[in-house]
Amino acid sequence: MNIRPRRLRKQPIIREMVAETRLSKDMFIYPYFVTKGSGLIQSIEAMPGIHRFSVDTLIKDVEQGLKVGVNKVLLFGVGEEKSEDASSAHHDHSVVAEAVRQLKKQFGSDLYVITDVCLCAYTTHGHCGVIENDYVQNDPSVDILAKMALTHARAGADMVAPSDMMDGRIAGLRSYLDDNGYQDTPIMSYAVKFASAYYGPFREAADSAPGKGDRKSYQMDFRNGREAIREAALDEMEGADIVMVKPALAYLDIIRDVRQQTELPVACYNVSAEYTMVKLAASAGLIDGQRIIMENMHAFARAGADIVITYHAREILEQQWL
Ligand code: PBG
Ligand code: ZN
């Protein structure tokens, strides 16, 4: 026997040398839920360790995070007035716009602020677009999403991230942003977003569950892999700067496929239920939380993700697990 793979596994030093995948603190984005009011830090039962913040408490929490290197955040608005046409989503004083302004004022270029652009937390029915004749209407929804993106850009958002899955929204947002002078605001597209039960805890956090029906007429069918390539390619052609795959853990094959078909940076979203499953099993003492979390993070990177959006980001950096 002259081939013995174990030779390179013998000591820690050699294992470090031949490691194929390395994580960096720069690859993580930390999501935040921001709500109206002041002095609020509300825990979210379905997501242990994650909270809803009002703008003032958000600033304080972000300041703590920055100290350990959490310098990219993704903001979700919660608790705005809901309407049929989601008009509060693009109000100049929406909670997200307000949060962006305050964060940029406090932290400037030390903090990179990304906003989620979607209507589900702003519509009475909880769908990601506007409804007519019992159907989520595509093009009218894109128009509203574009206004929402512009509102965020004007407030100072460094990047916008549409998560609605309407057709043509990247082109719609891109041209609307460009026409209004925001040609330099990048778009991270939730390009490949599956209709998934893994979003359950998030919908409690964001109060964004659809009142009736599901999201299957716009989010992807999890039986489809080739269609993922198509979605990513379309968004790239429409001008996306980064393409995202979501969820992440059960979709590592998709991350790999998308990585191989685009030269754009690829992000993955380690979603709420993926987080909750790990946290609950760990707090019950049934698994080693740190080791499972870090194994998952390496799996995302090994599959081809350059960027990982994860609720674990704060803990990973705070505990210096990298
Ligand atoms: C809104 C949105 C969702 C998530 C991110 N943006 C929920 C959904 O589409 O139902 C899910 C994030 C998570 O589960 O952590 N469109
Ligand atoms: Zn939505």
Side-chain angles (χ1 to χ4, degrees):
M1 185 160 47
N2 59 1
I3 298 174
R4 291 177 181 269
R6 288 185 60 192
R7 287 180 197 125
L8 298 184
R9 296 179 200 143
K10 205 165 162 191
Q11 304 98 335
I13 290 180
I14 194 75
R15 290 197 294 271
E16 284 303 313
M17 188 182 83
V18 300
E20 297 174 29
T21 306
R22 295 168 204 275
L23 303 177
S24 149
K25 68 172 177 36
D26 300 313
M27 70 198 297
F28 295 105
I29 298 173
Y30 187 54
Y32 270 108
F33 300 99
V34 47
T35 191
K36 299 225 128 164
S38 67
L40 300 176
I41 303 180
Q42 302 170 337
S43 41
I44 297 158
E45 204 186 339
M47 300 180 72
I50 302 296
H51 304 85
R52 283 186 220 98
F53 295 95
S54 48
V55 176
D56 55 337
T57 56
L58 174 74
I59 303 272
K60 297 210 176 78
D61 200 77
V62 167
E63 189 172 16
Q64 294 307 310
L66 268 173
K67 287 183 188 154
V68 296
V70 182
N71 63 0
K72 292 169 292 297
V73 297
L74 173 60
L75 302 184
F76 293 92
V78 195
E80 286 283 359
E81 193 182 326
K82 295 176 193 275
S83 61
E84 289 296 309
D85 62 355
S87 54
S88 64
H90 52 86
H91 198 281
D92 268 338
H93 292 282
S94 72
V95 69
V96 170
E98 212 55 70
V100 171
R101 270 190 292 270
Q102 295 294 330
L103 287 170
K104 293 307 292 184
K105 188 172 142 204
Q106 282 287 320
F107 305 114
S109 56
D110 290 342
L111 182 74
Y112 198 84
V113 180
I114 309 167
T115 60
D116 184 85
V117 175
C118 197
L119 307 186
C120 49
Y122 305 87
T123 49
T124 37
H125 43 71
H127 279 283
C128 302
V130 289
I131 294 187
E132 234 171 274
N133 303 323
D134 259 355
Y135 185 65
V136 174
Q137 299 293 315
N138 197 87
D139 302 12
S141 300
V142 172
D143 292 343
I144 302 170
L145 290 157
K147 286 188 189 168
M148 184 176 183
L150 181 62
T151 302
H152 295 173
R154 280 191 173 135
D158 294 297
M159 178 183 280
V160 292
S163 67
D164 52 284
M165 286 299 278
M166 298 301 121
D167 293 333
R169 77 226 204 263
I170 302 305
L173 262 64
R174 188 68 276 157
S175 63
Y176 197 65
L177 288 169
D178 290 2
D179 291 348
N180 286 282
Y182 289 89
Q183 61 284 339
D184 293 329
T185 304
I187 300 176
M188 174 164 66
S189 172
Y190 288 67
V192 183
K193 180 174 176 182
F194 290 91
S196 171
Y198 283 99
Y199 308 150
F202 173 95
R203 291 178 190 171
E204 183 207 319
D207 183 25
S208 65
K212 68 174 179 159
D214 52 39
R215 303 209 200 287
K216 290 181 182 167
S217 83
Y218 43 103
Q219 298 180 347
M220 279 182 56
D221 186 324
F222 55 68
R223 294 171 294 189
N224 295 354
R226 291 193 303 270
E227 191 187 355
I229 309 271
R230 221 169 147 236
E231 281 284 3
L234 272 171
D235 285 7
E236 178 168 0
M237 280 187 321
E238 291 178 28
D241 298 282
I242 297 174
V243 287
M244 189 206 300
V245 174
K246 177 184 174 196
L249 264 186
Y251 297 83
L252 295 173
D253 58 326
I254 308 287
I255 296 173
R256 168 57 55 92
D257 288 349
V258 170
R259 169 69 292 157
Q260 285 173 349
Q261 78 96 35
T262 180
E263 302 303 329
L264 292 178
V266 174
C268 70
Y269 198 139
N270 178 210
V271 300
S272 54
E274 297 175 337
Y275 169 84
T276 297
M277 291 192 303
V278 171
K279 293 304 278 184
L280 284 189
S283 65
L286 302 174
I287 60 170
D288 181 326
Q290 175 181 354
R291 289 179 56 205
I292 295 264
I293 290 165
M294 295 317 289
E295 193 169 327
N296 288 347
M297 297 303 134
H298 281 90
F300 302 143
R302 194 187 60 237
D306 307 293
I307 300 156
V308 180
I309 302 163
T310 180
Y311 304 99
H312 295 296
R314 177 74 174 264
E315 187 174 26
I316 290 171
L317 294 179
E318 219 158 45
Q319 304 296 325
Q320 299 185 296
W321 288 345
L322 289 180

